[in-house]
């Protein structure tokens, strides 16, 4: 599995090992583990279960050349900053170089960089010159690590963390060294990065804390906390207990009243024991819902996945048997989804011996269904902004568990949002921009009375039409331009 795949999600049924580290017990640790690896945090911190960086992410990133290069460059840079005077003295008085000072500079990092095509060592070693060279390499190569970060986090905020201010000039290197030496403890694990605040503690405690501070440092505010937090242990325990006590369960989804990304997040979070118990996921859809439901039910052909790493969430959901039922409207003002869902749920219960139903909807109309199937165990998944207090009180009075879809970690299913937008826009483009350039050239030749030999025509086509491109104005206007 690639690094980006792991960061996107873990497949359903695969549970994270228990972690004593609980400072932010509902937070994820994917982003901080990625940043910790890249800035050169020692492996022992990943191996320690009492610290936030995750060892499986470390092992995954070790296989990525671009990530490995940045990590080793940062490790050497931090070593030069930490031991500036001692290294400088060894260079001048003991004729040492980067690879011959293991007590100060990690030899393995220098060796790995050489194996990955980065030659740092020079005949006349100089600490300042090495720092400038390393800063140039990091600046030129950090962009290669952008695909490792999820789409929802601002790369414009992440990239500067690795860039030493004015670090390609002697005065910039000197200023950064002075700042670093003032208080190394304010840097996470004493690894250098471009972080100005001095009183935030370990900014890599959790994704929750790191993303909040990162956005605040850029005078911005992060708001979608479901991308960095997961549902709490109590809610997960209730869901796990509900499913384990079932013999056969189904998931029924009112697509007109639910969010496909949040549902995907919830399904991806179900414990391993859930897989065999859930016999079917039924999506009751209509023309009035988002295309995200079609993506969940049909998936994407492998040939169409430009970045397979982003589709692990879809692979996770695809592990469940999914049936999408399209419900047409006889009257455009009246939905038939709720009636169809209720009827099909009853059919599944009585024909297939279903004893447990996970109902995904915030609509109070389904209370009648719950009352009718009084002998069936229900778990209701609702959205906070759509579910009224009355239905929650009714569920509580019957002892029926409910949980909020909003609380599940949606980073795993974020790619569904992207592909839904891409699919919709591509469809619109295909409808609006659909013409044959061979025919257009022939029309132009006739319309202008231009005389052309076949060789001239081929030359014109190759020079101008084959190099056709688009221009997008700041206002969003798209124009097709000849090469």
């Amino acid at each position: 599995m690639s690094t980006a795949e792991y960061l996107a999600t873990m497949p359903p049924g695969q549970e994270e090992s228990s972690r004593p580290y609980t400072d932010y017990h509902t937070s994820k640790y994917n982003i901080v583990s990625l940043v910790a690896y890249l800035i050169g945090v020692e492996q022992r911190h990943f191996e320690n279960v009492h610290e936030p960086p995750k060892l499986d992410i470390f092992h995954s990133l070790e296989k990525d050349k671009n990530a490995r290069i940045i990590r080793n460059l940062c490790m050497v840079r931090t070593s030069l900053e930490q031991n500036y005077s001692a290294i400088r003295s060894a260079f001048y008085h003991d004729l040492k170089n980067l690879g011959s000072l293991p007590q100060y500079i990690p030899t393995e990092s220098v060796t790995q960089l050489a194996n990955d095509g980065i030659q740092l060592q020079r005949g006349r070693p100089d600490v300042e010159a090495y720092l400038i060279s390393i800063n140039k390499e990091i600046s030129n190569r950090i962009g290669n690590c952008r695909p490792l970060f999820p789409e929802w986090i601002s790369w414009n905020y992440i990239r500067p963390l690795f860039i030493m201010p004015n670090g390609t000039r002697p005065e910039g290197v000197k200023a950064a060294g002075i700042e670093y030496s003032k208080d190394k403890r304010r840097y996470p694990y004493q690894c250098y990065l471009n972080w100005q605040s001095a009183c935030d503690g370990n900014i890599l405690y959790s994704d929750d804390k790191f993303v909040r501070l990162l956005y605040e440092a850029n005078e911005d505010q992060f708001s979608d906390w479901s991308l960095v937090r997961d549902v709490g242990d109590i809610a997960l325990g209730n869901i796990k207990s509900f499913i384990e006590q079932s013999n056969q369960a189904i998931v029924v989804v009112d697509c007109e009243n639910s969010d496909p990304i949040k549902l995907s997040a919830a399904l991806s979070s179900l414990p391993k024991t859930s897989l065999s118990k859930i016999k079917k996921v039924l999506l009751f859809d209509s023309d009035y819902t988002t295309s995200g439901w079609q993506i969940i039910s049909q998936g994407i052909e492998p040939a169409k996945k430009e970045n397979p790493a982003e589709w692990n969430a879809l692979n996770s959901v695809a592990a469940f048997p999914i049936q999408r039922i399209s419900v047409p409207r006889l009257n455009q003002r009246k939905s038939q989804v709720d009636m169809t869902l209720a009827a099909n749920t009853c059919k599944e219960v009585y024909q297939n011996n279903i004893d447990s139903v996970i109902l995904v909807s915030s609509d109070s109309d389904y209370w009648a269904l719950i009352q009718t199937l009084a002998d069936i165990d229900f778990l209701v998944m609702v959205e906070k902004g759509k579910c009224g207090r009355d239905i929650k009180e009714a569920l509580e009075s019957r002892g029926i568990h409910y949980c909020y879809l909003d609380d599940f970690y949606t980073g795993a299913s974020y790619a569904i949002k992207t592909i839904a937008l891409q699919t919709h826009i591509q469809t619109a483009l295909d409808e609006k921009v659909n013409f044959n350039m061979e025919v257009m050239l022939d029309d132009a030749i006739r319309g202008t009375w231009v005389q052309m030999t076949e060789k001239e025509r081929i030359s014109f086509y190759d020079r101008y039409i084959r190099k056709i491109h688009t221009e997008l104005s700041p206002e969003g206007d798209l124009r097709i331009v000849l090469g």
Side-chain angles (χ1 to χ4, degrees):
M1 181 187 294
S2 73
T3 302
E5 283 180 304
Y6 184 90
L7 294 179
T9 186
M10 299 178 70
Q14 181 177 345
E15 298 181 56
E16 295 185 68
S17 58
S18 59
R19 296 177 55 87
Y21 183 82
T22 57
D23 287 35
Y24 284 73
H25 67 282
T26 63
S27 178
K28 305 296 284 187
Y29 303 94
N30 296 329
I31 305 299
V32 294
S33 298
L34 175 52
V35 173
Y37 177 89
L38 292 177
I39 66 173
V41 173
E42 293 181 44
Q43 183 174 346
R44 62 187 176 90
H45 295 293
F46 290 82
E47 294 170 343
N48 187 349
V49 295
H50 297 283
E51 298 187 62
K54 301 172 73 171
L55 184 59
D56 40 9
I57 291 182
F58 179 94
H59 289 318
S60 182
L61 286 164
E62 280 285 276
K63 302 172 186 176
D64 190 297
K65 180 180 178 180
N66 293 322
R68 195 169 58 243
I69 287 174
I70 293 297
R71 172 177 172 80
N72 286 317
L73 287 170
C74 286
M75 290 184 75
V76 175
R77 180 171 66 178
T78 294
S79 298
L80 292 173
E81 294 287 3
Q82 287 179 337
N83 309 288
Y84 184 92
S85 298
I87 293 172
R88 185 180 183 189
S89 177
F91 282 172
Y92 282 96
H93 299 296
D94 302 329
L95 303 180
K96 297 291 186 177
N97 211 322
L98 283 184
S100 57
L101 290 169
Q103 68 273 38
Y104 301 131
I105 304 169
T107 305
E108 184 180 359
S109 293
V110 179
T111 303
Q112 282 188 344
L113 284 169
N115 292 338
D116 286 331
I118 310 296
Q119 295 291 343
L120 291 178
Q121 296 199 65
R122 54 182 65 207
R124 298 182 60 182
D126 179 82
V127 178
E128 190 175 86
Y130 275 135
L131 284 169
I132 290 175
S133 178
I134 289 171
N135 287 334
K136 288 180 179 178
E137 290 285 355
I138 292 175
S139 180
N140 291 335
R141 294 176 178 274
I142 187 61
N144 296 332
C145 293
R146 181 174 185 174
L148 298 175
F149 287 87
E151 203 173 292
W152 51 261
I153 194 167
S154 173
W155 178 249
N156 291 333
Y157 299 165
I158 291 290
R159 184 182 184 277
L161 296 176
F162 299 88
I163 308 301
M164 182 180 289
N166 200 22
T168 58
R169 299 179 65 85
E171 54 268 30
V173 169
K174 182 178 180 180
I178 293 173
E179 186 66 25
Y180 176 79
S181 299
K182 285 181 180 178
D183 185 7
K184 299 175 185 177
R185 294 173 300 176
R186 74 179 181 89
Y187 295 86
Y189 305 93
Q190 296 191 19
C191 294
Y192 176 82
L193 80 165
N194 181 21
W195 188 262
Q196 304 302 320
S197 179
C199 55
D200 295 320
N202 182 6
I203 63 172
L204 301 184
Y205 253 44
S206 67
D207 288 358
D208 188 325
K209 179 178 180 178
F210 173 73
V211 171
R212 175 178 59 82
L213 291 175
L214 178 68
Y215 275 65
E216 287 177 358
N218 288 275
E219 298 182 350
D220 197 355
Q221 188 174 18
F222 188 79
S223 57
D224 193 350
W225 296 109
S226 68
L227 293 168
V228 293
R229 296 174 184 165
D230 205 351
V231 67
D233 294 339
I234 295 177
L236 273 180
N238 288 337
I239 296 170
K240 182 178 180 180
S241 176
F242 174 85
I243 296 175
E244 286 181 347
Q245 292 174 12
S246 305
N247 291 318
Q248 296 194 97
I250 58 172
V251 180
V252 292
V253 185
D254 177 359
C255 296
E256 287 188 332
N257 200 17
S258 303
D259 186 317
I261 295 175
K262 294 177 181 178
L263 175 69
S264 175
L267 293 178
S268 298
S269 299
L270 293 179
K272 185 176 182 178
T273 52
S274 305
L275 290 180
S276 61
K277 297 292 185 76
I278 296 178
K279 301 305 177 183
K280 192 182 296 185
V281 177
L282 295 167
L283 306 178
F284 294 90
D285 203 357
S286 74
D287 294 336
Y288 289 77
T289 65
T290 170
S291 57
W293 295 112
Q294 182 176 355
I295 295 169
I296 290 177
S297 61
Q298 296 181 358
I300 302 297
E301 293 297 325
K304 296 180 181 179
K305 300 176 186 177
E306 294 183 5
N307 183 2
E310 295 183 355
W311 299 105
N312 204 41
L314 289 179
N315 294 337
S316 298
V317 177
F320 298 94
I322 296 178
Q323 181 181 351
R324 179 168 171 254
I325 300 172
S326 183
V327 184
R329 290 193 176 193
L330 299 178
N331 184 328
Q332 295 304 307
R333 292 177 296 178
K334 179 63 177 175
S335 171
Q336 300 295 317
V337 165
D338 51 355
M339 185 66 71
T340 306
L341 184 151
N344 277 267
T345 300
C346 292
K347 181 180 177 181
E348 290 286 338
V349 166
Y350 293 118
Q351 287 188 351
N352 300 318
N353 297 318
I354 299 298
D355 65 340
S356 300
V357 175
I358 299 177
L359 172 62
V360 183
S361 178
S362 303
D363 195 337
S364 61
D365 289 348
Y366 293 113
W367 180 245
L369 172 66
I370 295 172
Q371 287 184 310
T372 300
L373 299 176
D375 296 332
I376 302 300
D377 291 326
F378 274 87
L379 169 66
V380 184
M381 293 185 172
V382 302
E383 294 180 43
K384 294 178 181 177
K386 298 179 181 178
C387 186
R389 185 62 211 164
D390 291 344
I391 182 63
K392 286 186 282 188
E393 289 177 351
L395 292 172
E396 290 168 0
S397 66
R398 275 278 306 273
I400 297 173
H401 287 301
Y402 68 88
C403 64
Y404 293 113
L405 282 172
D406 316 67
D407 291 339
F408 289 92
Y409 172 58
T410 58
S413 51
Y414 193 85
I416 295 173
K417 181 185 296 186
T418 301
I419 194 56
L421 290 171
Q422 289 176 332
T423 302
H424 189 91
I425 293 173
Q426 188 61 58
T427 300
L429 285 173
D430 291 341
E431 292 175 354
K432 295 179 181 298
V433 184
N434 189 1
F435 45 78
N436 187 291
M437 293 306 301
E438 293 276 4
V439 173
M440 188 175 292
L441 177 56
D442 290 339
D443 289 343
I445 291 173
R446 287 192 296 269
T448 58
W449 294 11
V450 168
Q451 298 297 316
M452 264 191 171
T453 65
E454 184 60 22
K455 287 185 177 180
E456 287 176 323
R457 183 185 184 281
I458 293 173
S459 177
F460 181 92
Y461 192 93
D462 289 341
R463 183 169 185 178
Y464 297 104
I465 294 181
R466 285 192 185 279
K467 296 181 180 179
I468 200 168
H469 62 278
T470 60
E471 290 181 353
L472 188 64
S473 74
E475 294 76 26
D477 296 318
L478 186 69
R479 181 170 177 253
I480 299 175
V481 183
L482 288 174

